[in-house]
Amino acid sequence: MAMNAQYQTGSYTRTAEKLSAQSMIEIKFSASDLGEAVAVYPQISLNLCEISSGRANYSGRLVATLVYIGEDGKLCRVQKGAEFSHYVDNENLAPSQRADCKLSCAKCQIKRDGSSFVVAVIADAQITVYDGAQRNYLSSLEGAICRTESGKLYSPVCFSGEGEVDDDFDCVAEDVLVPSAQALVLDCNVKAGVVEISGEIYLSLLALRDNSPVNLDRIIPFRCEVPCDEALLSQRAFCRAEVKSVNVNCKVNEDRGKCGVDFNAVLGFSGHFFEEEEISFVSDAFSKDNEVLLTPVTETAFVDTDVKVYSERISGLSATKAKLDYTCAFLAAALPSADFVRTVDGIEGNVTATLIYEQGGEIRSTEVNTPFSVRLSGLGADCREISVAVCGLSLRQRAEGECECEAVLKISAADGEKRSLTYVTEAVAGAEKTAVDCAVSVYIPAAGDGLWETAKRLSESPDNIQATNPDLKFPLTGKERILIYRAKTN
């Protein structure tokens, strides 16, 4: 008996490639009064990422703020920016594709070059490439016995945009040398025509109070909307936030002994959500007369379900590059950040900060690293991305030569579920089966066989199996005996 296959066809978006690359960016500071470098803060942001034939091109901007000791022995700052561009080659890339790029500072180093300083930064790029594709799935197969199921297929919808965050507050200081900030997305939802994003900016200010460095922290909440024409139904979304620029204007009120701070930040957002399609499809088929050759395809999507937020206090001994003793007076723990990797039940890594201290009447600095390990309860194995910000960091000498750290880690984890669906994309008739001419067959099943598996092995419809063996209960134990009766044909 001939078989006639019917297919359903549709378009969707898929993840085509995941790429990674690193590039070196250098900024040179030259000034007549440059003394010893005390601290440096690199702020890196993405300008553009686009796909050409066989290549992913990305560009960005690096702004480095250098704090140094001037000729008068006081702390000074200088800021400089540089544009950069880089690329990743891949033979599967085409101009019709779209890219999402996560750009970050992997490493920063200050090098002395004669009377100048060179700030060298390694920019790390993680690029996800999307493209359009066609999917075909088998909806019916005449001339065969079919198992039909229903399921959901997913297609990612990407969005991006920018938002501004403003704040004003007072701080007990005369000037701000370096503002450093990190933004965490704490919630992200799709509404009609927009994506609503809310979170917090963790601001750390290296400031001057009575001509002495201090570190001041502030948490600034934000709520922004990114237009998205494809946004229709309310649902969860994944979103990443980067700080593209930070501006801090200070106005000193000498009568009150305070500094009024006007804060402005431009945040860049990129993320995605999923369109879902409910389908009815043939998942398996067989024929009494021919072998049926099926070509299956499995689609997998990591669907975002929640944003889990954690606040963890850490403490412990720190490693320092400089030798510290009781002649050192700690002044400020500035520019905190966290490097970490995922573990089975959480994260582990190091909190890094710049310790500014006074020794022998001179201001000095050293890098401080504090290891940590945090368990994140309730976090699924399919968590897409984890972001960590450090706030409330403090350093002290517990004993001579020992530096102890305390800090709070703010953690945002984009949790999700792995959802897979296997469907048949092609069905053709194979070789003819040898006819069974005996009137009765006895079949001994395997333990765990269901009705469909049993019917397929016997080349009989599931209805016929149940009709002729009404006492069978599925799944089978393997101890049953199944009788198949065949009518005599002339």
Side-chain angles (χ1 to χ4, degrees):
M1 182 176 179
M3 292 189 297
N4 182 22
Q6 299 292 325
Y7 299 92
Q8 294 291 329
T9 301
S11 300
Y12 74 109
T13 301
R14 65 177 182 179
T15 300
E17 298 287 342
K18 286 185 176 292
L19 311 173
S20 61
Q22 289 187 336
S23 57
M24 174 75 76
I25 311 137
E26 292 187 342
I27 296 179
K28 189 172 186 178
F29 291 91
S30 300
S32 59
D33 64 341
L34 280 178
E36 288 298 319
V38 175
V40 64
Y41 174 61
Q43 180 184 317
I44 194 167
S45 60
L46 179 71
N47 288 339
L48 180 67
C49 183
E50 59 184 6
I51 305 298
S52 60
S53 182
R55 177 169 291 183
N57 303 281
Y58 64 92
S59 61
R61 178 173 174 80
L62 170 67
V63 177
T65 305
L66 177 68
V67 178
Y68 64 95
I69 301 173
E71 292 179 341
D72 56 0
K74 295 182 179 180
L75 291 179
C76 305
R77 70 174 179 273
V78 62
Q79 190 177 80
K80 199 172 182 180
E83 304 283 340
F84 66 90
S85 61
H86 195 56
Y87 60 86
V88 187
D89 285 335
N90 185 294
E91 61 182 7
N92 297 321
L93 301 181
S96 60
Q97 296 170 330
R98 177 176 176 177
D100 173 47
C101 180
K102 177 186 177 183
L103 198 59
S104 61
C105 176
K107 187 176 181 181
C108 180
Q109 185 178 17
I110 308 175
K111 300 182 292 184
R112 190 81 188 196
D113 184 14
S115 60
S116 304
F117 283 105
V118 176
V119 175
V121 170
I122 297 177
D124 181 79
Q126 301 295 324
I127 303 172
T128 302
V129 181
Y130 300 93
D131 67 3
Q134 294 283 328
R135 62 161 66 102
N136 301 306
Y137 59 89
L138 182 66
S139 58
S140 65
L141 185 61
E142 296 179 10
I145 299 171
C146 299
R147 179 170 64 179
T148 302
E149 299 182 29
S150 62
K152 292 181 179 180
L153 293 173
Y154 297 88
S155 179
V157 176
C158 299
F159 63 88
S160 61
E162 293 185 356
E164 285 196 42
V165 181
D166 297 301
D167 192 24
D168 59 88
F169 54 92
D170 291 336
C171 67
V172 184
E174 294 87 39
D175 193 14
V176 173
L177 293 172
V178 184
S180 64
Q182 184 172 355
L184 295 189
V185 173
L186 305 183
D187 198 12
C188 185
N189 293 282
V190 177
K191 305 293 182 182
V194 298
V195 179
E196 295 181 348
I197 307 157
S198 61
E200 292 177 338
I201 296 175
Y202 302 92
L203 178 65
S204 178
L205 300 176
L206 176 57
L208 289 176
R209 181 189 299 163
D210 298 327
N211 293 321
S212 181
V214 294
N215 195 70
L216 306 172
D217 295 319
R218 185 173 179 84
I219 299 176
I220 302 171
F222 68 85
R223 183 180 295 273
C224 300
E225 290 186 353
V226 173
C228 181
D229 293 337
E230 294 89 347
L232 299 174
L233 303 177
S234 296
Q235 63 182 101
R236 285 280 187 179
F238 164 78
C239 184
R240 179 191 307 113
E242 74 164 355
V243 180
K244 298 183 75 70
S245 66
V246 174
N247 293 309
V248 174
N249 295 318
C250 305
K251 298 179 181 179
V252 178
N253 189 325
E254 296 181 358
D255 295 334
R256 298 177 59 191
K258 292 185 178 181
C259 180
V261 178
D262 291 329
F263 170 84
N264 173 267
V266 176
L267 303 182
F269 301 107
S270 62
H272 63 261
F273 56 92
F274 285 90
E275 290 183 339
E276 64 178 43
E277 178 186 0
E278 183 92 26
I279 67 169
S280 178
F281 62 100
V282 173
S283 61
D284 199 5
F286 66 89
S287 169
K288 296 181 179 181
D289 304 316
N290 296 82
E291 299 291 339
V292 179
L293 305 179
L294 304 176
T295 303
V297 170
T298 300
E299 284 189 26
T300 301
F302 294 90
V303 180
D304 309 288
T305 58
D306 196 10
V307 179
K308 290 187 169 65
V309 181
Y310 304 85
S311 181
E312 299 288 339
R313 183 173 295 276
I314 66 162
S315 62
L317 292 178
S318 305
T320 61
K321 290 188 176 181
K323 185 177 180 180
L324 304 175
D325 55 33
Y326 281 141
T327 65
C328 302
F330 290 9
L331 301 177
L335 310 177
S337 63
D339 297 317
F340 62 93
V341 295
R342 182 79 188 270
T343 60
V344 175
D345 59 354
I347 58 173
E348 64 180 17
N350 288 279
V351 170
T352 302
T354 299
L355 171 62
I356 302 175
Y357 62 97
E358 184 179 13
Q359 185 177 34
E362 297 181 352
I363 293 179
R364 300 180 179 180
S365 67
T366 185
E367 184 179 294
V368 177
N369 292 283
T370 307
F372 68 85
S373 179
V374 173
R375 183 176 182 271
L376 304 178
S377 60
L379 190 61
D382 296 321
C383 173
R384 179 179 302 279
E385 188 166 311
I386 299 176
S387 299
V388 180
V390 184
C391 59
L393 183 141
S394 63
L395 300 171
R396 67 184 181 91
Q397 283 200 73
R398 187 176 68 173
E400 188 167 22
E402 292 185 356
C403 180
E404 188 177 55
C405 171
E406 289 187 358
V408 174
L409 301 183
K410 297 289 186 176
I411 305 168
S412 172
D415 210 357
E417 293 179 358
K418 180 181 178 181
R419 298 179 184 175
S420 298
L421 185 70
T422 300
Y423 55 85
V424 175
T425 189
E426 186 179 10
V428 296
E432 291 187 5
K433 291 183 177 179
T434 302
V436 179
D437 54 5
C438 57
V440 179
S441 295
V442 180
Y443 173 65
I444 302 174
D449 278 359
L451 175 59
W452 175 258
E453 289 78 16
T454 303
K456 188 175 181 180
R457 290 173 191 234
L458 296 175
S459 292
E460 292 289 336
S461 70
D463 293 340
N464 187 31
I465 297 294
Q466 287 190 316
T468 55
N469 299 270
D471 296 330
L472 287 179
K473 294 182 179 180
F474 297 92
L476 302 175
T477 64
K479 298 179 181 179
E480 297 86 352
R481 300 297 180 266
I482 302 174
L483 299 179
I484 302 298
Y485 299 92
R486 297 180 182 87
K488 184 177 180 181
T489 59
N490 294 326

